Amino acid sequence: MNQDQYLTLEQLVGNTPLVRLQRLPGEVGTPRGNVILGKMEGNNPAGSVKDRPALSMILEAEKRGDIKPGDTLIEATSGNTGIALAMVAAMRGYKMILIMPDNLSLERRASMTAYGAELILTPADQGGMEYARDLATKMQSEGKGIVLDQFANPDNPLAHFKTTGPEIWSQTAGRVTHFVSAMGTTGTIMGTSKFLKFMNPNVQIVGAQPAEGSQIPGIRKWPQAYLPKIYDATRVDRFELIEQSDAETMARRLAAEEGICAGVSAAGALVAALRVAAEVRDSTIVFIVCDRGDRYLSTGIFNQ
């Protein structure tokens, strides 16, 4: 028997479907000649777009000889990267320590520990992700493990330059005119922008950021001191500020009207995509459906 004829789990990361929205676009869709497409990243093995950079960061570090199976890896995470890293660590034989603010959903915590990761919760009222990132750095300096650092690691956007961007280009037959993504570590928007702009400099890149006072899992606007080192402002053409209430309402509508149960950051990206659609005609607008909505059920956002 030839075992190579069967795929391993890491070979199932990426190649996610691109789905056309049928109802939500309404007057800004077909009547204006616009097509709005969601890149279904919840179809990845660990359930989010973060499977791509998690696999990339570990495999590329292995190739360089920076890490080897049996090592302990450390990462500060708001959830999806941690789940993805926990999965890849389990696949490749690493110990994984994840540091996460304590105000994030129970499903995310449970998913990380299910893969065998050690979870350290930090007080959200003492700085949230910034506090978690500082603690990861401190633990590394104490010799407790190796920090992959998704915020500064070029292998994060590299994953999207190699996979997400080419997939979108191929799936739209080069017709994509706008790419819309939530901004967290900024890896997705950086890597995908680099590829799409290489193929067609006229593709517009739109970043969704939280409006003042809004807390949307997966969408961040970082203080200058914590701005991800992989971020390059020249790769984003415009920003859309998303209200938390708008993102949560859109998450419910996306599930109830399109049958796509997705997370709040995906819904925030859709809010931005629909704003763009209201301004243009004959455009192909792709937004990232970052993860699945079942990761947020305990938050109650789907109960209203």
Side-chain angles (χ1 to χ4, degrees):
M1 182 184 71
N2 179 12
Q3 294 190 14
D4 291 340
Q5 67 183 300
Y6 302 109
L7 297 177
T8 62
L9 195 60
E10 65 192 60
Q11 291 171 296
L12 297 177
V13 173
N15 293 311
T16 55
L18 200 59
V19 173
R20 177 173 62 86
L21 298 194
Q22 301 179 76
R23 298 174 186 82
L24 277 174
E27 291 302 311
V28 304
T30 303
R32 299 179 68 90
N34 295 325
V35 177
I36 301 178
L37 304 167
K39 185 80 165 127
M40 302 293 288
E41 292 298 298
N43 284 36
N44 280 304
S48 85
V49 69
K50 298 298 188 178
D51 286 22
R52 299 176 188 260
L55 184 63
S56 174
M57 288 190 293
I58 287 179
L59 291 185
E60 294 298 324
E62 284 181 1
K63 289 177 190 175
R64 290 189 297 270
D66 296 342
I67 61 174
K68 62 185 184 304
D71 286 346
T72 297
L73 307 178
I74 304 172
E75 190 68 13
T77 175
S78 63
N80 283 331
T81 300
I83 295 168
L85 282 172
M87 176 192 73
V88 179
M91 286 162 43
R92 306 291 298 183
Y94 293 89
K95 299 173 185 175
M96 192 77 232
I97 298 174
L98 297 167
I99 306 171
M100 187 176 88
D102 62 8
N103 62 339
L104 296 171
S105 73
L106 297 175
E107 291 90 348
R108 292 188 180 199
R109 300 185 203 179
S111 296
M112 293 175 198
T113 55
Y115 286 116
E118 177 186 341
L119 186 58
I120 297 174
L121 297 178
T122 61
D125 59 5
Q126 290 186 27
M129 273 303 297
E130 290 85 350
Y131 184 99
R133 287 169 65 179
D134 289 342
L135 179 57
T137 302
K138 180 174 181 287
M139 289 179 67
Q140 178 175 249
S141 69
E142 294 170 349
K144 295 179 179 177
I146 301 162
V147 174
L148 292 167
D149 195 359
Q150 59 182 317
F151 304 95
N153 193 327
D155 297 328
N156 176 351
L158 179 66
H160 300 288
F161 179 78
K162 284 185 170 181
T163 67
T164 316
E167 288 171 29
I168 290 170
W169 186 260
S170 175
Q171 288 170 315
T172 62
R175 296 189 186 94
V176 56
T177 58
H178 298 77
F179 174 71
V180 186
S181 175
M183 295 177 64
T185 68
T186 73
T188 303
I189 202 165
M190 290 294 102
T192 307
S193 171
K194 184 177 180 181
F195 181 85
L196 294 179
K197 290 282 195 181
F198 173 77
M199 298 303 291
N200 177 5
N202 293 320
V203 174
Q204 293 295 291
I205 308 298
V206 183
Q209 293 189 321
E212 190 70 34
S214 292
Q215 293 188 348
I216 305 170
I219 305 183
R220 287 296 308 264
K221 190 170 184 180
W222 296 99
Q224 191 64 35
Y226 290 88
L227 198 64
K229 292 179 181 177
I230 58 173
Y231 176 63
D232 178 354
T234 65
R235 297 202 182 280
V236 184
D237 294 301
R238 67 185 273 186
F239 301 93
E240 289 295 329
L241 298 181
I242 310 300
E243 297 285 349
Q244 183 174 343
S245 58
D246 291 342
E248 292 178 354
T249 297
M250 186 60 72
R252 292 189 286 273
R253 291 190 63 195
L254 188 56
E257 297 178 40
E258 295 282 351
I260 298 173
C261 187
V264 193
S265 56
L270 176 54
V271 171
L274 292 174
R275 289 180 189 168
V276 171
E279 302 172 6
V280 299
R281 293 183 180 274
D282 303 317
S283 296
T284 301
I285 303 166
V286 177
F287 74 101
I288 293 288
V289 184
C290 318
D291 59 6
R292 299 190 303 260
D294 55 11
R295 202 156 276 180
Y296 302 87
L297 295 178
S298 68
T299 67
I301 66 160
F302 294 105
N303 298 343
Q304 299 180 33

